[in-house]
Amino acid sequence: MIDLHTHTTVSDGTVTPKELIYQAKETGLLAVAITDHDSIDGLDEAQHEADRLGVTFINGIEFSATFGKNRLIHILGLGIDPQSEGFKRIYTNYRQNRSDRLLQVFKKLRSMGVAIGPEDVEPFVTGGYMDRQAIAKCLVAKGLAKSVRNSWINYLDKIDYINGELIQPEAAFSAIHAAGGKAFLAHYHLKIGFKGYSEENTRMLLKKLKELGLDGMECYYPSFSEEEKLRCAEYIEDFDFIKSGGTDFHGANRSHIKLGVGEGDFNVPDELLDEILAEKEIKL
């Protein structure tokens, strides 16, 4: 049993990277990946604990990429080396661009009656770059939202992304491949994905992503319906994609989802690891 899609306190989860590895050990997972949103800041801590406990740990990230008018997709990078120069160059530039554009986000928040600024958010920053995740945590701490999820629903999701705040898919693919990893489309069935698109448009967009560098799709996900499972399997076969999967674990922020098992009857087959971790040509 493996879980290749999880989140920690570095992004919008409620357990630390160290705690997540401990839970993986207690759950009996063969392997676990941490894929925090747009951040690699918990990977070293997780690797140290994984080495101590004898857990197979997969370095990961979940990029938020713009794709389509007022739409975004999430791209999982699995098996990455975050210290590779090609990855660090793209990643650092992306994080800086996001941080530079937050003044417009603060301005929009003030128009919504939320008077916070960078000085309020600074204590919630991880990795040296301020982002919307840090703002979400600040809103909770100030009692303006009940949870990080509510911060997004009530405030941040209502503020359009500013040009340059999100990474382009091709840049995300380049970063992941430069780090020796593979890139997967996460939860294709959600609005942060292809929900609402026709079958024809979905296939057209998958073809484009494949041409840009997409390696695979998340074909195991707790909230897939039977129809969505079948459609995903067809896409994977038709586009010769690699399979991945995970629970999208967020700790108490999604309390119905348990690490490794989703809502209790979910599992990702161990054999997916072989192809995910197989060597890939590094493109700088």
Side-chain angles (χ1 to χ4, degrees):
M1 187 166 57
I2 60 177
D3 195 337
L4 304 179
H5 188 166
T6 74
H7 297 276
T8 75
T9 50
V10 168
S11 60
D12 55 347
T14 60
V15 301
T16 66
K18 181 178 180 179
E19 290 167 342
L20 189 141
I21 297 299
Y22 178 80
Q23 286 191 28
K25 177 72 172 181
E26 290 295 293
T27 304
L29 295 186
L30 172 69
V32 66
I34 286 177
T35 54
D36 277 314
H37 292 289
D38 305 294
S39 180
I40 57 171
D41 294 314
L43 300 184
D44 285 347
E45 177 186 323
Q47 185 66 69
H48 180 78
E49 185 68 0
D51 290 342
R52 188 180 75 83
L53 295 178
V55 174
T56 298
F57 176 64
I58 313 299
N59 283 318
I61 190 169
E62 186 172 16
F63 282 116
S64 301
T66 181
F67 193 62
K69 186 176 181 181
N70 298 321
R71 295 289 296 253
L72 66 152
I73 57 174
H74 282 178
I75 298 168
L76 296 168
L78 296 174
I80 62 172
D81 173 9
Q83 298 306 314
S84 69
E85 290 303 317
F87 176 86
K88 287 196 292 185
R89 182 174 63 251
I90 298 170
Y91 171 78
T92 302
N93 183 61
Y94 170 48
R95 291 297 302 267
Q96 187 63 62
N97 284 342
R98 286 164 63 89
S99 183
D100 290 345
R101 284 157 176 76
L102 284 186
L103 288 180
Q104 293 299 317
V105 177
F106 287 119
K107 183 178 179 180
K108 292 284 188 180
L109 284 171
R110 285 195 294 273
S111 73
M112 298 165 72
V114 180
I116 63 169
E119 66 281 359
D120 300 297
V121 176
E122 186 61 39
F124 305 93
V125 171
T126 60
Y129 296 99
M130 191 173 292
D131 57 16
R132 292 193 185 210
Q133 295 289 358
I135 293 175
K137 293 172 185 176
C138 177
L139 293 174
V140 175
K142 288 186 171 295
L144 297 168
K146 293 187 295 184
S147 66
V148 169
R149 180 175 173 79
N150 287 132
S151 294
W152 284 93
I153 293 171
N154 295 334
Y155 299 106
L156 295 170
D157 282 341
K158 297 178 179 179
I159 301 174
D160 290 340
Y161 282 94
I162 295 136
N163 186 35
E165 191 181 354
L166 295 172
I167 198 169
Q168 296 292 324
E170 51 266 49
F173 299 148
S174 293
I176 292 164
H177 293 158
K182 294 186 176 70
F184 297 86
L185 178 66
H187 40 60
Y188 86 96
H189 65 313
L190 300 181
K191 187 172 182 181
I192 308 173
F194 293 155
K195 183 177 182 179
Y197 286 125
S198 68
E199 178 70 7
E200 180 182 4
N201 283 340
T202 296
R203 286 184 170 273
M204 179 185 69
L205 294 171
L206 286 173
K207 182 176 183 291
K208 182 176 181 180
L209 287 173
K210 172 83 173 182
E211 291 168 350
L212 291 173
L214 183 67
D215 297 300
M217 288 181 69
E218 198 169 46
C219 68
Y220 294 91
Y221 193 83
S223 65
F224 275 172
S225 67
E226 290 303 316
E227 180 184 352
E228 287 160 350
K229 290 177 186 177
L230 291 172
R231 288 182 68 198
C232 190
E234 289 178 1
Y235 298 147
I236 286 168
E237 181 175 356
D238 293 347
F239 290 96
D240 193 26
F241 282 142
I242 302 169
K243 299 177 183 179
S244 182
T247 59
D248 206 355
F249 173 78
H250 282 69
N253 284 338
R254 292 184 185 173
S255 58
H256 62 295
I257 296 296
K258 306 301 180 185
L259 188 66
V261 298
E263 294 184 77
D265 57 355
F266 174 84
N267 71 87
V268 180
D270 298 351
E271 55 265 27
L272 267 59
L273 271 184
D274 292 338
E275 193 168 10
I276 290 172
L277 298 182
E279 285 191 18
K280 180 181 178 71
E281 181 183 354
I282 298 176
K283 299 177 182 179
L284 299 177

